[in-house]
Structures are given as C-alpha cells and as structure tokens.
C-alpha cells in the first residue's frame, strides 16, 4: 500500500521540521520553504495533500494555487496564514481549498 504524500509549504524551517516530526512514518512528507520550490515539488511529487502557507517568498500561495490549477493538479489543500481578510476565504474556495487555518496553528 502506498503512503499518502503530504507536501508542507511553509517559510519557516521550524514549522517544516515540526511537520516532518508529526507526520513522518504515517505519511510520506516533503517540505519546501519558498514558492518556486513548492511549484516544482507539486509537479515532481504530485502530493495528495498540500499544506500551504499563503505568505511564501518567491511566489505567494495564491500564485501557486493558480499555477497548479492551470496545470491540472488537484491535491487536497490546507491553507494557513497569519492575515485573513474578507477576500481570502472567497478566493480560496474558488481554488478548492478545503481548510483555512490562522497561524500559528497546530499540526494536529
């Protein structure tokens, strides 16, 4: 049986390390810390779940969502951000994001 693949996209090394520690063994986990690397990893790894920080250097979460949607990739997406305006939930729904968390958030 193949493991569920999770790609964690977060700008902080600490959060990425915590995600690996929390999910490793039960899931195949990879981590990226900037938007360009996230897009490349989605194309290469085709994750089942993308845990996406919306505020990434190089390419923000909305640009990533637009690019992966246009490329035909459809992982389940959990978005997280420190700043939630009225625009954010509506925009995320249009990209099929299934969950929005305010940072700091728990991996559980």
């Amino acid at each position: 049986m193949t493991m569920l693949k999770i790609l964690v996209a977060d700008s902080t090394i600490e959060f990425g390390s915590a995600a690996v520690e929390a999910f490793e063994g039960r899931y195949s986990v990879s981590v990226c810390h900037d938007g360009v690397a996230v897009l490349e990893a989605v194309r290469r790894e085709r994750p089942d779940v993308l845990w996406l920080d919306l505020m990434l250097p190089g390419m923000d979460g909305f640009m990533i969502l637009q690019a992966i949607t246009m490329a035909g990739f459809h992982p389940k997406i959990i978005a997280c951000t420190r700043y939630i305006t009225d625009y954010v939930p509506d925009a995320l729904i249009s990209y099929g994001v299934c969950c929005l968390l305010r940072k700091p958030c728990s991996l559980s």
Side-chain angles (χ1 to χ4, degrees):
M1 183 162 83
T2 59
M3 279 191 183
L4 192 70
K5 293 185 277 185
I6 300 175
L7 174 59
V8 176
D10 194 276
S11 58
T12 64
I13 292 171
E14 296 81 15
F15 189 85
S17 297
V20 169
E21 190 174 307
F23 299 135
E24 199 170 48
R26 296 177 294 162
Y27 307 103
S28 173
V29 183
S30 57
V31 179
C32 294
H33 300 291
D34 71 78
V36 175
V38 171
L39 192 53
E40 291 170 4
V42 167
R43 288 181 176 147
R44 182 180 62 252
E45 298 174 22
R46 298 185 182 246
D48 301 298
V49 177
L50 173 58
W51 185 296
L52 180 63
D53 181 353
L54 297 179
M55 304 282 289
L56 291 169
M59 179 182 273
D60 71 30
F62 289 103
M63 292 170 71
I64 292 166
L65 289 169
Q66 182 178 26
I68 65 174
T69 299
M70 289 177 66
F73 298 113
H74 303 288
K76 297 291 184 199
I77 300 168
I78 300 167
C80 58
T81 185
R82 292 188 190 283
Y83 309 102
I84 300 175
T85 64
D86 291 339
Y87 163 81
V88 172
D90 291 337
L92 293 177
I93 288 169
S94 72
Y95 287 112
V97 173
C98 61
C99 184
L100 173 60
L101 303 172
R102 183 182 304 273
K103 288 180 88 176
C105 55
S106 168
L107 288 164
S108 60

